[in-house]
Amino acid sequence: MPPKEESSKVTRRSTRSSASVTVENSEPTESHTPTIDDLTFGEESITIDAVLSNFPGRRSQIFDFIRLMGPLDCPTLPIMIYGGASTGKTSVVLQVLRHLNRPFVYSSCRTCYNPRILFESILNQLLLHRKCSLNGYSSAKRCDKPSDFVNLLREALSSVIKTLESTSGTSRSDKPDEKPMGKMVYLILDNVDLIRDWDKGTIILQFLFSLYTVLKMPQLGIILISGLPPDVYYSNMGYTDPIPLYFPEYSEEDLRQIFLRNQPNRKLYSAFLDVVLKPFCRVTRRVEELSTTFSLLFRKFCEPLDDLGISPNEDMKRRLYSHLKPLIAHCLNEIFRVSSHPHDGETRGERRQKASYSSENREELEILDFHMSTSAKFLLLSAFLASRNPATLDASMFDSTGGMDNRKRKRKASEKSMEKKEIAEQEAVMKGPGSFPLERLLAIFQCIASVGDSSFGEEDEEEENTTGYDKENNNLMSDILLQVSSLCDANFLIKSGSCPLEGSIRYRSMVSEDLAQKVAKSLSFPLSKYLYRR
Amino acid sequence: MGKEIPAEKSLNLIRGRLCHPSFIFRPLSASSDSNYSKLKFIVSTSIMEGCNNSILLLGPRGSGKAAVLDLVVGDLLEQFPDSVSVIRLNGLLHSDDNCAFKEIARQLCMEHHLLFSKMASFDENSHFIIAMLRECGLAHKTIIFVLDEFDMFAQGKQRLLYSLLDAMQSVTSQAVVIGISSRLDADQLLEKRVRSRFSHRKILFLPPSRDELDGLLEHLLSLPADSSFPSGYVSRFNDKIKNITSDRRFKDILKTFFNAHSTVNSFLKFIFCAVSLMNLESGLLSLENFKAALSSMQRQPKLEAVRDCSVLELYLLVCMRRLEVKEQSSYNFISVMKEYKAIHDSFQTSDYYAQNVCIRGFEHLRERQVICYAENRGQSQTGEYRPMKLLISASELHQGMRSHACCPAILLKLLDH
């Protein structure tokens, strides 16, 4: 039977619009056809000292990695590099390969999110194929099964190695002092831990770990980079695990070195770090989380200074510290929050900062920082109340007197009932917010909205639509149902399972108490009166 | 490039040996009752007598089953150059029947210089394979089928196994099916009809003895006295190796190693790590290399994870542990927060942070796989209410906290209560 080659061209359906528009086939810019040299890092090669100074605190890991890679053309067993996020694994690997000037193929399992894209990306790089408009942005070969991948990889690797062997024989006269490329190719797979969440991820992982033994090509070196330690990959089938290399989190000293790099005024910044680094390191040691907070704080730190180039003496340092100190405590609690207000001296931002200066205790800002319509706010509150209060108390809670009766039990609670109360409290915490049917939500909403109206008359600055609301209440039922669905989309309400007897949908409120308090404050609604506390 | 320094050359040589399985297993297979000889005897008899056969090679992962098989196949291809062809399948790749038949057809086509069509259907492929088997049988050519990860083929309907073994029952075909598996009960997985056609020959690969491994070590690490190395260097290197291997401390290192690892592959990894640490200036191995390699193989990942935690995350872990000690069978984020607040109120610690900061601390712990959600089905709840559990034991937590760089003393006190 004659072989039928799989065409790599993508056949496009011609739609009416594309047929009518004549494609302007402008001369394609001289696209760079990749050569074997493109498999190396490409830029200027750097010395080992440059690599070491670029990565403070990673000295031993860099040397370990170079030793595991070995000298030129040295066969190597698969290596797995693992460590937490933003510990520098990918950058160290790539920079070391730039220093050693060896050809490699890099693929990340974050951008290649299923096996087919991963395999095709690796093959494209090895076959020196670049996706461009000429070939319709398609890959060189179509491959989505591991069996095809092994065959195609073997072919591609043999051709690459043959090219490498022929170029290594001839001396390279144009760059005499560059390191030779050698005859080995390295395959780097990044974010291997994401494969676990893929469809059939365990089979793919098993396949990747045994790729070296299946291929039996000593000219290939495999480097896997993973965010999780190797013991999460253990499965029933077992595999020969790769050689591990661990990147621990940075210590405080390393963090200081990292933050001092690229600073225009090192003395000033190091004085800043003296006061800031220790307390923030108690919360997190990750570089990406600390850097956003530090940039903000440094701006505040330098506010009293007129000249940012001076190196501070002791007196000035003390002054700057006292200026910064009240803000540190507040920022520690806001460390993971990226504020939506730019702090470039905008008046609104400054006003908020001044407000936080005055409140010395750690109070959350009481202002709701997104806009919701009044009916949506009332719906939110009624959903919150419906989730928190048991249904049996509705009648007493929402009667005409409004609010719970302050009928305090004067009897001292016995020990047994205290225990029962504690257990009930624990169970309530474990179960989370309760679910309620739609009718209960609407009933509570109607009660609250009428109560809220009566308190509107007193404060009449804040809202615009105060007086007309009561009259239009009866006509707004369809509008309210629309609000319910938009609250569901915003994840303030979620649909939980439906009651098997009645078949009506039940909802659950996902709003935290802080947010509910904020919303209630913005409506001047006495929320605590309606909240049932055990 | 100029001359390589001898250290690099020797490193290349030794590492090349370590990555090349047949170099390693040839001395291990030298004796006459080794698995190599048994396998070779079975396969060569069936080739010479022109009969069908099926064998299973069983043993833990990394004990050299595939390597020994490659040695045997290599020798047989030299011995009977025209009457043997090999088809290799792997259970990880070809467990799907379509894939498997396509791969067999492709390899048969490559062997016999036929054109292979990727569009051939399953039926066409299977007819082709049966026809080829018959033809090869008539031409007195034996086909050896190597099925790696045999237990993966035994999942599902076992169509491939059945058709292969069934085709072997006919008189004209000459085939040997060799299955490799790390499951010692791989033959129990076969269906009744497949098992009846399978001759229950099994070769078990056991871990090698200490003498064999000592001999292997010497075989690996001694440099050949050929002219590509400077002469003094070779003798110095080999003497240093002899010194190391006869040292009592080295024997202790090996004993500690073999307490945990018994297969040949892990031993090779250990030697690889040690050799990579070789001092490139002197070009000689030393005892420290082996010690460092041993410590790198004895990692404790949960300990490392705890040591990487920040102080806030340690607080959260201690709170969870205290809740467990109080026999609260399930707890979630809110209850851990309550415990955290209780600790702060009673001890007035300086590390009291707001809820959103603690939630991020939780997320970091979850990413590092130190804690996880207890059940998967509670998807409808937000993360704060889902029950969680610790993935490390109390002793690991203790050890990690004690070796932590800046763990506050109060935490250790709280953990012990």
Side-chain angles (χ1 to χ4, degrees), chain A residues 1-6 64 66-77 79 82-85 141 145-148 150-151 154-155 180 196 203 206-207 210 212-214 216 218 227-232 234 237-250 252 278-279 281-286 289 332-337 362 364 388 425-426 428-433 494-496 508 510 512 514, chain B residues 1 4 7-9 11-12 15-20 61-62 66 70 88 90 92-94 96 99 102-103 106 115-120 124 148-149 151-152 182 265 268-269 272-273 276-278 280 296-297 299 301-302 304-305 307-313 315 328 330-332 334-335 338 350-358 360-361 363-364 366-369 380-382 384-388 404-406 408:
Chain A
M1 259 189 285
K4 277 180 253 168
E5 277 303 316
E6 285 240 274
D64 281 340
I66 293 184
R67 266 189 232 117
L68 279 176
M69 296 272 284
L72 202 60
D73 296 341
C74 196
T76 168
L77 295 178
I79 305 174
Y82 69 98
K141 300 259 186 208
K145 291 206 258 268
S147 49
D148 298 330
V150 169
N151 295 333
R154 203 173 267 143
E155 287 170 15
R196 288 192 321 150
I203 306 272
Q206 198 74 29
F207 164 65
S210 51
Y212 188 71
T213 41
V214 167
K216 294 199 185 57
L228 294 175
D231 50 339
V232 309
Y234 292 159
M237 292 173 56
Y239 61 95
T240 44
D241 41 331
I243 298 180
L245 181 59
Y246 176 51
F247 273 58
E249 295 263 359
Y250 291 109
E252 263 187 52
K278 223 172 169 51
C281 272
R282 289 174 86 86
V283 177
T284 174
R285 296 209 314 253
R286 283 206 199 167
E289 286 164 359
L332 272 176
N333 276 333
E334 297 278 315
I335 183 174
F336 295 122
R337 187 176 296 190
R362 303 189 193 99
E364 298 270 41
R388 289 281 191 274
E425 216 178 285
Q426 261 177 30
V429 162
M430 282 307 296
K431 264 200 317 183
I494 54 170
K495 282 198 192 148
S496 82
R508 216 187 273 265
M510 284 290 130
S512 68
D514 294 332
Chain B
M1 187 66 192
E4 287 178 2
E8 282 187 7
K9 264 182 67 172
L11 194 56
N12 277 7
R15 276 169 67 142
R17 286 176 180 173
L18 286 168
C19 300
H20 197 48
R61 222 167 255 285
D70 284 338
R88 288 175 200 271
N90 192 315
L92 277 178
L93 310 173
H94 308 125
D96 176 33
C99 253
K102 193 163 119 170
E103 182 65 21
R106 190 188 72 89
L115 291 172
F116 173 68
S117 155
K118 292 184 204 164
M119 293 294 148
E124 289 170 357
D148 228 336
E149 314 282 347
D151 42 303
M152 302 279 297
S182 49
N265 238 349
L268 294 178
K269 256 179 49 177
F272 184 89
C273 289
S276 317
L277 294 171
M278 182 164 91
L280 282 178
S296 81
M297 291 197 77
R299 294 168 312 106
K302 292 293 186 210
E304 290 164 346
R307 247 185 267 149
D308 268 351
C309 289
S310 66
V311 173
L312 169 65
E313 291 158 17
Y315 264 94
Q328 225 176 313
S330 64
Y331 42 86
N332 58 12
I334 305 285
S335 35
K338 287 214 299 214
S350 58
D351 291 299
Y352 187 64
Y353 301 104
Q355 187 150 351
N356 57 341
V357 178
C358 294
R360 276 305 271 269
E363 283 301 311
H364 289 172
R366 233 170 42 92
E367 277 169 28
R368 271 195 224 111
Q369 300 274 316
S380 59
Q381 307 242 17
T382 49
E384 303 165 322
Y385 288 101
R386 285 172 69 175
M388 328 189 74
H404 195 266
C406 46

Side-chain angles (χ1 to χ4, degrees), chain B residues 221 237 240-241 243-245 247 249-250 253 270 274-275 277-279 282-293:
Chain B
L221 291 179
F237 191 88
K240 191 79 202 289
I241 297 291
N243 280 348
I244 295 176
T245 46
D247 194 342
R249 288 173 294 172
F250 182 74
I253 292 178
F270 169 62
V275 166
L277 294 171
M278 182 164 91
N279 189 341
S282 68
L284 302 172
L285 286 173
S286 72
L287 194 64
E288 275 68 36
N289 299 142
F290 289 94
K291 266 201 214 142

Side-chain angles (χ1 to χ4, degrees), chain A residues 421-471:
Chain A
K421 210 170 86 160
E422 255 188 52
I423 295 178
E425 216 178 285
Q426 261 177 30
E427 275 180 19
V429 162
M430 282 307 296
K431 264 200 317 183
S435 65
F436 48 85
L438 186 62
E439 294 86 19
R440 187 170 163 219
L441 172 68
L442 294 177
I444 297 182
F445 173 74
Q446 290 219 327
C447 295
I448 297 185
S450 51
V451 166
D453 268 351
S454 55
S455 58
F456 265 160
E458 291 140 34
E459 329 235 356
D460 46 7
E461 263 98 285
E462 311 285 342
E463 307 292 332
E464 300 99 58
N465 53 344
T466 49
T467 49
Y469 194 79
D470 193 30
K471 296 192 191 90

Side-chain angles (χ1 to χ4, degrees), chain A residues 106-290:
Chain A
Y106 173 85
S107 263
S108 164
C109 298
R110 204 184 282 277
T111 48
C112 306
Y113 51 88
N114 64 24
R116 174 168 165 201
I117 303 182
L118 181 66
F119 295 153
E120 287 185 0
S121 140
I122 298 177
L123 286 173
N124 281 347
Q125 293 183 63
L126 279 174
L127 293 170
L128 305 173
H129 168 94
R130 189 160 293 189
K131 292 187 185 181
C132 59
S133 56
L134 290 173
N135 50 32
Y137 297 101
S138 61
S139 316
K141 300 259 186 208
R142 192 205 149 97
C143 167
D144 51 1
K145 291 206 258 268
S147 49
D148 298 330
F149 179 60
V150 169
N151 295 333
L152 291 170
L153 185 64
R154 203 173 267 143
E155 287 170 15
L157 276 176
S158 354
S159 71
V160 166
I161 290 167
K162 224 185 320 184
T163 328
L164 280 175
E165 282 180 358
S166 57
T167 50
S168 75
T170 66
S171 67
R172 301 163 55 85
S173 55
D174 47 348
K175 297 177 200 158
D177 52 347
E178 206 181 69
K179 292 213 189 71
M181 287 206 297
K183 303 191 195 92
M184 283 189 62
V185 179
Y186 294 92
L187 174 63
I188 306 178
L189 287 177
D190 204 350
N191 302 121
V192 168
D193 45 304
L194 293 174
I195 300 184
R196 288 192 321 150
D197 303 322
W198 287 1
D199 204 21
K200 288 201 246 183
T202 38
I203 306 272
I204 305 278
L205 273 176
Q206 198 74 29
F207 164 65
L208 280 178
F209 285 128
S210 51
L211 186 62
Y212 188 71
T213 41
V214 167
L215 273 182
K216 294 199 185 57
M217 295 183 85
Q219 294 98 345
L220 175 69
I222 300 184
I223 301 171
L224 302 168
I225 305 181
S226 147
L228 294 175
D231 50 339
V232 309
Y233 301 110
Y234 292 159
S235 63
N236 281 340
M237 292 173 56
Y239 61 95
T240 44
D241 41 331
I243 298 180
L245 181 59
Y246 176 51
F247 273 58
E249 295 263 359
Y250 291 109
S251 68
E252 263 187 52
E253 192 46 49
D254 298 332
L255 283 172
R256 175 181 281 268
Q257 299 272 338
I258 291 173
F259 281 114
L260 275 179
R261 290 189 75 224
N262 295 336
Q263 287 295 334
N265 185 353
R266 291 171 77 100
K267 288 222 175 68
L268 184 62
Y269 205 81
S270 122
F272 167 66
L273 283 181
D274 282 335
V275 72
V276 166
L277 195 60
K278 223 172 169 51
F280 277 84
C281 272
R282 289 174 86 86
V283 177
T284 174
R285 296 209 314 253
R286 283 206 199 167
V287 179
E288 83 262 22
E289 286 164 359
L290 288 175

